[in-house]
Amino acid sequence: MPLSDKKVIVTGGPTYEFLDPVRFISNRSSGKMGKALADESFKRAREIVFIHGPMHKSLLAGIEYRTVAVESTREMLDAVLVELTPDSVLIMAAAPADYRPAEKSLTKIKKKEDELIVRFVKNPDILKTVAEIRSTQFPLRNIFLVGFAAETNDIENYAKNKMREKDLDIICVNDVGKPDAGFGVDTNIVTIFTRWGDRYELPLLSKQEVASRILDCVEKGIECKGEKFLP
Ligand code: PMT
């Protein structure tokens, strides 16, 4: 099995971007999709690490593999870079915040004016950063990259653009327009697109089953990567 000699790095959950010591911006990711992928990788891979944003404690109970807890997108990037090895598969199921407040107040912001205007600055893109490292650092050229996208319409176009833009081997698109798919729930509806031209439209499945199908694709991709699509 191609994953049995690989290290799999899975990210999951949201990130928090703080405005002051008690307030932050975030999103509705629960970390369930990432956790399902980490559980499934634990069964198949040589090594697994789950790097996660803030998640409910009950979801992390009893885990038998290594986990790294982070809060912000920049912390998630740093954690991913620390874990990268030449044989890594990086699966980015996390929903890292694209922007953060330009300044974080050291003390709680007090209610004064009728309006509070916050300026945001862009966070680093974790997948793009790793893709760049892969293309410029020869020993890391075999890193395998899997991204996610949350879309409601025109799935194929958005997916293919994102796959090109982030130089991914596989992109998994959640149909978040449907009630049982995407954020927070235990099920998902995913279409998988691969760099080598495959497309798998999965029905409504548990996140565990979706994770298993994604890892089947990763294993197939690793098997033929050497021959067909080495960057
Ligand atoms: O956690 P759950 O409640 O189970 O929900 C699962 C999920 C819907 C969050 C998950 O399946 C999912 O779709 N995760 C990606 C959501 C997202 O951030 O999409 P995006 O279009 O903003 O980003 C595209 C890809 O780039 C993603 O793989 C993301 O992890 C990655 N990214 C995003 C921002 C950033 N700064 N760096 C990144 O690498």
Side-chain angles (χ1 to χ4, degrees):
M1 254 207 312
L3 273 179
S4 59
D5 56 0
K6 294 277 177 190
K7 172 173 180 178
V8 181
I9 305 166
V10 178
T11 69
T15 59
Y16 285 2
E17 304 294 341
F18 281 88
L19 280 158
D20 70 15
V22 297
R23 302 185 181 95
F24 56 83
I25 63 151
S26 189
N27 59 67
R28 290 168 45 224
S29 170
S30 62
K32 287 179 180 176
M33 192 63 245
K35 164 75 170 29
L37 282 155
D39 286 349
E40 200 55 39
S41 303
F42 180 57
K43 295 182 201 158
R44 305 189 191 198
R46 189 198 74 227
E47 188 182 345
I48 158 76
V49 58
F50 181 39
I51 300 171
H52 62 86
M55 287 172 57
H56 200 280
K57 271 195 189 126
S58 62
L59 289 172
L60 297 166
I63 286 184
E64 289 177 51
Y65 45 83
R66 205 155 54 81
T67 60
V68 178
V70 298
E71 273 189 337
S72 66
T73 296
R74 286 180 297 171
E75 283 174 19
M76 187 171 277
L77 172 63
D78 288 346
V80 166
L81 295 181
V82 165
E83 296 294 339
L84 272 188
T85 55
D87 65 349
S88 299
V89 174
L90 172 62
I91 307 181
M92 286 290 306
D98 289 323
Y99 291 89
R100 66 179 184 277
E103 281 122 37
K104 179 185 167 189
S105 168
L106 291 176
T107 51
K108 188 177 167 198
I109 298 167
K110 292 292 173 209
K111 186 165 58 179
K112 279 186 253 160
E113 314 298 331
D114 285 347
E115 277 187 4
L116 173 67
I117 294 169
V118 179
R119 196 166 62 85
F120 288 92
V121 292
K122 215 171 188 177
N123 269 329
D125 189 297
I126 300 168
L127 277 172
K128 273 192 188 169
T129 306
V130 175
E132 253 170 58
I133 290 173
R134 173 173 73 172
S135 66
T136 53
Q137 295 186 24
F138 187 72
L140 299 177
R141 72 193 187 287
N142 279 330
I143 288 173
F144 195 94
L145 290 181
V146 182
F148 271 78
E151 307 290 350
T152 52
N153 61 300
D154 209 3
I155 282 180
E156 180 145 3
N157 259 340
Y158 286 124
K160 288 189 173 161
N161 284 342
K162 205 161 270 185
M163 185 151 69
R164 247 190 316 272
E165 186 200 333
K166 302 203 183 207
D167 197 14
L168 305 177
D169 297 297
I170 291 179
I171 189 153
C172 311
V173 190
N174 316 261
D175 190 343
V176 289
K178 308 247 168 68
D180 295 325
F183 294 94
V185 290
D186 293 326
T187 50
N188 210 352
I189 302 172
V190 166
T191 305
I192 304 171
F193 297 88
T194 69
R195 190 197 277 275
W196 56 100
D198 288 345
R199 175 198 167 113
Y200 303 96
E201 217 166 308
L202 306 182
L204 176 70
L205 293 170
S206 68
K207 283 187 173 167
Q208 212 63 45
E209 185 57 32
V210 171
S212 170
R213 304 286 188 93
I214 291 171
L215 289 189
D216 290 346
C217 271
V218 171
E219 294 199 310
K220 188 175 167 196
I222 290 168
E223 249 169 2
C224 38
K225 185 162 174 157
E227 299 148 33
K228 286 201 216 149
F229 23 77
L230 202 61

